[in-house]
Amino acid sequence: MNPLRPLALLPLAAALLLGGCLLGHTVRPAPQAELAAERARAGELLERLRPLCGQAFAGRIVADTPRSADDPFIGKTLVMHVRGCEDDAIRVPFQVGEDRSRTWVFQHLAIGLSLKHDHRHRDGSEDELTMYGGELKPGGAPGRYEFPADSHSRALFRRLGREVSVPNVWAVEIDAQRFVYELARPGRLFRVEFDLTRPVPAPPPPWGG
């Protein structure tokens, strides 16, 4: 055996290794590209909501399983109001009948976007179950934005004995015709669809608003 043969193969092995690294790099986006994509996606949702500022829209339940006997949404008028529009946040009160306790808060973060649920009592004070939600999940289908429960929300649910809500994933979908709010977890699906083509009179301000 030629003692120099293994040494002669070293350049080939190095070339193959380098080629493999370069190939792997081409199929995986650089961290900077991933961050830029997340920022763009976060801004995309706010920009889709911004033209609706000041308008209100009626909604209907399109999925509610399993439905409980004391479901607070059954037979109630559902209205979303794109009411509070700031540079880095949009607040959307969600009125259920005469109940004005709920507001969805979309907040632009340094990189992404968060969805929080601001729950208030009639006197404007905070409910013990409030400001829960999550941060925008990277990727996803065009026009759909998912927010898995964050660590703060999971801890809040556990503290209040609501372990069933720990795996919650909230989502919104928006296009020229509709806005959809969704809550999903194993064994539970709730979706409300709002008609964006027919604005309705704006409801009274949310409690605490």
Side-chain angles (χ1 to χ4, degrees):
M1 177 177 179
N2 186 348
L4 298 179
R5 185 174 179 81
L7 296 177
L9 294 176
L10 286 178
L12 176 60
L16 291 173
L17 180 60
L18 179 59
C21 292
L22 291 175
L23 179 62
H25 181 71
T26 59
V27 299
R28 184 176 58 191
Q32 294 87 348
E34 293 176 352
L35 293 178
E38 289 183 34
R39 290 192 185 98
R41 187 163 169 77
E44 177 184 273
L45 176 55
L46 292 184
E47 290 311 307
R48 287 178 180 236
L49 284 170
R50 207 169 295 282
L52 307 177
C53 288
Q55 299 183 69
F57 306 92
R60 62 187 181 92
I61 297 173
V62 295
D64 189 5
T65 58
R67 177 175 290 185
S68 61
D70 59 347
D71 192 319
F73 301 96
I74 295 177
K76 301 293 180 61
T77 300
L78 308 177
V79 177
M80 63 173 280
H81 183 196
V82 187
R83 184 172 185 270
C85 296
E86 303 173 2
D87 290 342
D88 61 350
I90 293 181
R91 300 178 65 88
V92 184
F94 173 38
Q95 185 165 325
V96 180
E98 299 302 316
D99 186 341
R100 292 182 272 131
S101 64
R102 302 170 177 86
T103 298
W104 303 321
V105 183
F106 298 93
Q107 176 76 47
H108 209 310
L109 307 176
I111 297 176
L113 183 77
S114 70
L115 165 61
K116 293 291 185 176
H117 297 74
D118 186 351
H119 285 213
R120 304 276 176 158
H121 295 291
R122 192 179 295 273
D123 64 0
S125 61
E126 290 187 346
D127 191 277
E128 65 176 352
L129 183 62
T130 190
M131 298 312 290
Y132 60 85
E135 294 185 14
L136 180 62
K137 180 180 177 180
R144 179 177 170 86
Y145 309 85
E146 297 185 354
F147 303 83
D150 57 23
S151 58
H152 166 78
S153 303
R154 296 194 298 271
L156 177 64
F157 293 147
R158 291 190 177 102
R159 180 170 60 82
L160 297 179
R162 297 173 178 264
E163 285 81 2
V164 68
S165 298
V166 168
N168 278 4
V169 177
W170 298 274
V172 298
E173 299 173 10
I174 184 170
D175 56 33
Q177 286 75 41
R178 63 182 190 131
F179 176 93
V180 176
Y181 168 86
E182 176 186 291
L183 162 65
R185 61 173 177 259
R188 174 70 170 141
L189 177 63
F190 176 76
R191 284 172 62 91
V192 183
E193 183 177 301
F194 299 86
D195 184 353
L196 299 183
T197 68
R198 298 183 178 181
V200 299
W207 295 339

